[in-house]
Amino acid sequence: MIKLFSWLAGITMLMFLISGACIYWMSNIAVMHSKEESATAIAKAVSVTLSAQIDLLNKTIDKIVSDPEILAIISNANPVQLSATATKLEKYFPEVLKIRLFVPGLSPTDDQIVPKMGFADIEMVRETFSKSRLPSIQGDSGPDRHLAITRAIKQNNEVVGVILVSLNYDFISKNIRTAAAKDEYIELKQDMLVLGVSGSIIDTKKAANIRVKVDDSDWEIIYYYTSGMDVSELTVSATVVFIAGLIVLLGFFSVHRKLSALLSEDVNCIMKAIKDIMTTQKLYNTYPVNLTEMEGVIPTLAQYKRVLDQDNDDTMPDNYDDVRMDDFFDD
């Protein structure tokens, strides 16, 4: 019987482990989808916030370039007036570092003013005379790095000047500083330049990621996250499966011991009945058995005794085949 129970326990544990593996696989997929949706939602929220701030700055600059007074000063192309007007406009931007006004053919140099104009700023201004440019982070790292926004100043649909607004870009990193959760990492990048980060450092080569573009800019938000269950979640799942497996084995062991005890009692009872038949030539009514399958054994023994008593010869009775061992157990 122990061999039978061993086989049953082995098959049950195998099925249990297969079921546990399937549940883990489905849970892992659900966790992956959940993390992906969460990462996408956070990345889009950061993108929308940054886009809204850039849009607000763009609208403010659009109002400036459409001001008739600015158009008149640009038309005069007086360098002193241009510089004074640019300084006056700086009060409209709380995060402004410097505002510069340009007209075709006149490119004032102010390398002593922070942030300094780099080649990227000059190229940005030059391109704005012919086409629109998206806001961009320019300048070397340090005090000269800034958020540059340019806008064409038009009169009668003709570009007569360009405004260059250099802003502090700290507000960008503030928006993503607390966005990432545990085992997640956010980068805001402009091409290869990292503008801001958030979260814990993870292996970005192995981590899954979500990429979201920031509207009205050349920026991209990259949200790295660990796909599937982390170590703690995996440990909890494995512990639950292990404990459940132990409970199943304990149940098999307990049932085996109980069934063995009941079977031993029934065998002793049947042996007692056989002894009574052989010694006293009669059966008593007190032969209680525990298992239902054993209830037919003693009546069958009694039937054997009656058949043998009726047979005065030493030969086997004709109706012997009517007494079958199958009657020992109920279906």
Side-chain angles (χ1 to χ4, degrees):
M1 188 171 64
I2 190 170
K3 185 176 181 180
L4 175 61
F5 267 87
S6 297
W7 275 100
L8 289 175
I11 293 173
T12 302
M13 284 302 301
L14 179 61
M15 297 302 296
F16 180 81
L17 291 175
I18 292 174
S19 300
C22 291
I23 293 174
Y24 167 77
W25 178 69
M26 291 186 292
S27 300
N28 194 47
I29 291 177
V31 170
M32 288 175 59
H33 286 311
S34 177
K35 287 188 175 182
E36 182 180 0
E37 291 175 358
S38 175
T40 303
I42 294 174
K44 287 183 177 180
V46 175
S47 172
V48 169
T49 302
L50 290 174
S51 179
Q53 291 176 312
I54 294 298
D55 183 62
L56 180 61
L57 292 173
N58 285 335
K59 287 180 179 179
T60 303
I61 296 174
D62 287 338
K63 289 182 179 180
I64 291 175
V65 299
S66 61
D67 189 339
E69 182 180 350
I70 300 299
L71 293 175
I73 293 172
I74 290 292
S75 299
N76 292 334
N78 187 314
V80 176
Q81 280 187 317
L82 290 174
S83 179
T85 302
T87 302
K88 181 181 177 181
L89 292 174
E90 291 174 1
K91 65 181 181 179
Y92 295 104
F93 294 88
E95 297 291 334
V96 72
L97 297 175
K98 184 61 183 174
I99 293 180
R100 296 176 173 92
L101 293 172
F102 302 89
V103 294
L106 181 62
S107 299
T109 57
D110 49 8
D111 292 341
Q112 302 303 317
I113 300 176
V114 178
K116 299 177 182 179
M117 284 188 65
F119 292 108
D121 291 302
I122 296 173
E123 183 64 23
M124 191 172 179
V125 171
R126 184 180 295 113
E127 289 185 4
T128 305
F129 276 102
S130 58
K131 63 179 181 180
S132 298
R133 278 293 304 267
L134 294 173
S136 181
I137 301 296
Q138 307 285 19
D140 298 329
S141 59
D144 289 328
R145 180 162 291 178
H146 58 280
L147 168 61
I149 302 178
T150 58
R151 189 72 82 253
I153 302 173
K154 295 182 179 181
Q155 189 173 32
N156 298 324
N157 293 326
E158 182 181 353
V159 178
V160 296
V162 170
I163 183 172
L164 169 64
V165 181
S166 300
L167 298 161
N168 189 327
Y169 66 98
D170 286 346
F171 72 92
I172 295 175
S173 59
K174 290 179 182 178
N175 282 301
I176 66 172
R177 191 167 296 163
T178 58
K182 180 183 177 182
D183 296 330
E184 295 174 350
Y185 181 67
I186 297 180
E187 284 184 343
L188 177 64
K189 300 184 73 174
Q190 176 181 288
D191 294 329
M192 299 303 295
L193 177 63
V194 178
L195 306 180
V197 298
S198 175
S200 55
I201 301 297
I202 61 176
D203 189 351
T204 56
K205 294 182 180 179
K206 296 182 180 179
N209 66 80
I210 296 294
R211 295 174 179 265
V212 178
K213 292 285 187 180
V214 179
D215 294 338
D216 301 324
S217 71
D218 345 349
W219 305 337
E220 183 181 42
I221 296 172
I222 308 176
Y223 199 117
Y224 297 96
Y225 63 96
T226 54
S227 60
M229 296 184 179
D230 56 25
V231 176
S232 60
E233 293 172 332
L234 182 59
T235 302
V236 171
S237 299
T239 301
V240 170
V241 172
F242 179 73
I243 292 176
L246 287 180
I247 293 174
V248 170
L249 289 178
L250 181 61
F252 267 98
F253 179 73
S254 300
V255 171
H256 174 262
R257 289 193 61 183
K258 182 64 175 177
L259 184 58
S260 296
L262 294 176
L263 189 58
S264 296
E265 292 178 5
D266 288 354
V267 170
N268 290 333
C269 185
I270 293 171
M271 294 302 294
K272 181 181 178 183
I274 295 174
K275 180 181 179 182
D276 290 341
I277 292 176
M278 296 177 64
T279 57
T280 63
Q281 299 298 314
K282 64 178 180 179
L283 291 173
Y284 299 95
N285 293 327
T286 56
Y287 298 101
V289 291
N290 298 299
L291 301 177
T292 305
E293 289 78 7
M294 293 295 185
E295 291 178 354
V297 175
I298 297 177
T300 303
L301 290 174
Q303 185 178 358
Y304 267 115
K305 184 179 184 304
R306 287 195 299 269
V307 171
L308 292 173
D309 288 343
Q310 293 173 2
D311 187 8
N312 295 323
D313 300 326
D314 292 335
T315 58
M316 189 64 64
D318 294 336
N319 59 348
Y320 175 78
D321 291 336
D322 295 335
V323 182
R324 301 173 56 195
M325 293 303 293
D326 294 341
D327 295 334
F328 282 14
F329 302 97
D330 295 334
D331 291 335

